[in-house]
């Protein structure tokens, strides 16, 4: 593990860490009367990058596309997600800047997980194809995502 940590980029090493659920996705959130009623599936709770919690959820929306681009519905959902997150939490400026890379990291984790399932004959190739597509969409939309996050999420180091 120390060998891997040595190879991490400096910006990544500096991001705050805390306990995170690591799998807050639409399937793991129960909604009742337009409010979160319960969060399920806690087996992946661990200490990790705090901003990764938001990146995991944003990945679900970045993945919704029309003609290879993030759909308008997904962009609305991303903005609503950022606005709601910003009402309860804040991130540092470096965490906000890291969101696109953390979304790609989430995609890589899923790709590795589902590669094993694919080799076992349990899943199709969907997540294996997603990695390149997600990187491409974030190259195009990453700056807009950062601007939305800056607009809706307060930063801890604002005066």
């Amino acid at each position: 593990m120390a060998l891997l940590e040595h190879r991490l980029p400096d910006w990544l090493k500096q991001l705050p860490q805390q306990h995170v659920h690591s799998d807050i996705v639409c399937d793991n959130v129960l909604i009742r009367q337009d409010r979160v009623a319960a969060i399920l599936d806690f087996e992946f709770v661990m200490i990790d990058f705090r901003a990764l919690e938001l990146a995991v959820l944003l990945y679900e929306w970045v993945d919704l596309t029309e003609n290879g681009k993030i759909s308008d519905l997904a962009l609305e959902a991303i903005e609503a997600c950022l606005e709601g997150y910003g009402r309860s939490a804040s991130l540092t400026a470096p965490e906000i800047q890291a969101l696109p890379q953390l979304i790609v990291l989430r995609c890589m984790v899923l790709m590795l997980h589902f590669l094993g399932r694919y080799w076992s004959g349990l899943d199709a190739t969907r997540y294996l194809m997603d990695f390149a597509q997600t990187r491409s969409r974030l190259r195009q939309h990453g700056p807009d995502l950062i601007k939305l996050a800056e607009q809706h999420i307060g930063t801890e180091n604002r005066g």
Side-chain angles (χ1 to χ4, degrees):
M1 187 61 138
L3 178 64
L4 290 175
E5 288 177 6
H6 176 70
R7 294 179 175 262
L8 290 175
D10 287 338
W11 64 266
L12 190 59
K13 288 186 230 177
Q14 296 171 9
L15 296 181
Q17 295 187 17
Q18 68 180 30
H19 280 97
V20 295
H21 181 279
S22 301
D23 203 22
I24 294 182
V25 294
C26 295
D27 290 344
N28 291 336
V29 178
L30 300 180
I31 305 293
R32 183 182 206 168
Q33 298 176 353
D34 293 332
R35 297 189 56 83
V36 174
I39 296 177
L40 310 173
D41 201 8
F42 282 83
E43 78 256 20
F44 296 115
V45 170
M46 67 182 86
I47 295 177
D48 209 334
F49 303 115
R50 176 177 58 187
L52 190 58
E53 196 81 275
L54 179 58
V56 165
L57 182 56
L58 291 175
Y59 170 72
E60 290 243 312
W61 301 113
V62 168
D63 196 38
L64 292 175
T65 62
E66 292 173 357
N67 302 320
K69 296 182 179 181
I70 297 175
S71 71
D72 290 340
L73 175 63
L75 290 172
E76 287 177 32
I78 288 168
E79 186 163 10
C81 177
L82 292 169
E83 184 178 335
Y85 187 93
R87 277 190 245 128
S88 303
S90 62
L91 297 175
T92 63
E95 286 176 300
I96 290 173
Q97 292 295 315
L99 282 172
Q101 292 93 340
L102 293 173
I103 293 169
V104 171
L105 179 62
R106 168 62 173 186
C107 184
M108 289 171 53
V109 167
L110 287 175
M111 181 185 69
L112 292 172
H113 172 77
F114 283 98
L115 180 61
R117 292 179 57 88
Y118 172 73
W119 286 337
S120 299
L122 298 173
D123 274 310
T125 60
R126 176 182 171 244
Y127 287 102
L128 305 180
M129 308 296 275
D130 263 0
F131 179 67
Q133 295 167 350
T134 296
R135 284 194 55 149
S136 174
R137 287 190 291 270
L138 286 169
R139 263 195 291 279
Q140 180 181 4
H141 294 286
D144 296 331
L145 177 67
I146 290 168
K147 285 179 192 169
L148 282 173
E150 288 171 339
Q151 178 183 345
H152 293 292
I153 300 173
T155 59
E156 291 180 345
N157 50 357
R158 275 192 205 166

